[in-house]
């Protein structure tokens, strides 16, 4: 950065040194957050729709959210949904990444940040699909963020 030294240094730079490898690494955040309106990263099908800036489960089944993971590193991630309002509902979730699926499991929606499962991203070109269904029409799911936390 000799140009910075040219403007702000008390004297000319005498030795121009290349940066060290430690100084050239990029920061990898511990949580990757996708907001529901980022349509290039999150898309919705079936009875999962975008309404008033939130992802909303409107029907009992046939609801899919696809997460584009092409900017993520390969590895295992925990997936969380951030709800705007906590409720005591329960829904069923199945996470599929390429040729692997987690199988249906029931999750409780009694926290703001709801853990829905783990996913192993082995090919960032293949989106992760999260399938939702609910058994009771009274159960509701409304969220505004999807968070992926890398497992170490």
């Amino acid at each position: 950065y000799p140009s910075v030294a040219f403007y702000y240094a008390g004297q000319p730079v005498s030795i121009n040194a290349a940066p060290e490898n430690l100084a050239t690494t990029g920061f990898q955040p511990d949580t990757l957050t996708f907001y529901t309106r980022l349509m290039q990263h999150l898309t919705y099908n079936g009875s999962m729709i975008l309404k008033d800036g939130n992802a909303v489960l409107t029907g009992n089944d046939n609801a899919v959210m696809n997460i584009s993971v092409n900017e993520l590193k390969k590895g295992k991630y925990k997936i969380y949904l951030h709800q705007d309002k906590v409720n005591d509902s329960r829904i069923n979730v199945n996470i599929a990444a390429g040729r692997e699926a987690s199988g249906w499991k029931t999750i409780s929606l009694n926290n703001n940040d709801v853990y829905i499962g783990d996913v192993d991203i082995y090919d960032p070109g293949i989106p992760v699909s999260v399938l939702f269904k609910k058994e009771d029409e009274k159960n509701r799911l409304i969220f505004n963020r999807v968070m992926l936390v890398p497992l170490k």
Side-chain angles (χ1 to χ4, degrees), residues 5 8 25 60 90 98 108 110:
Y8 300 107
T25 58
N60 286 357
R90 299 174 77 76
S108 177
N110 58 0

Side-chain angles (χ1 to χ4, degrees), residues 44-149:
Y44 312 99
N45 296 314
S47 56
M48 176 65 72
I49 63 169
L50 183 66
K51 181 179 179 184
D52 299 326
N54 295 313
V56 180
L57 179 59
T58 59
N60 286 357
D61 58 5
N62 190 29
V64 180
M65 174 183 63
N66 293 307
I67 306 169
S68 174
V69 294
N70 59 353
E71 295 180 19
L72 301 181
K73 291 182 178 181
K74 294 179 183 179
K76 289 188 178 261
Y77 294 83
K78 288 180 178 269
I79 302 177
Y80 293 87
L81 303 178
H82 180 80
Q83 297 184 103
D84 202 22
K85 295 180 182 161
V86 176
N87 65 79
D88 59 357
S89 300
R90 299 174 77 76
I91 60 166
N92 297 317
V93 176
N94 187 358
I95 301 170
R99 59 184 177 259
E100 298 176 9
S102 66
W104 289 100
K105 68 178 185 176
T106 302
I107 60 168
S108 177
L109 303 176
N110 58 0
N111 290 318
N112 278 99
D113 293 327
V114 178
Y115 169 71
I116 62 170
D118 296 341
V119 64
D120 188 2
I121 298 174
Y122 61 89
D123 182 354
I126 300 174
V128 172
S129 297
V130 182
L131 292 77
F132 299 95
K133 66 180 179 180
K134 56 185 183 175
E135 296 175 4
D136 189 347
E137 189 61 38
K138 295 182 296 184
N139 292 348
R140 65 179 185 85
L141 173 63
I142 301 171
F143 60 94
N144 56 19
R145 288 191 297 263
V146 177
M147 296 166 289
L148 281 82
V149 180

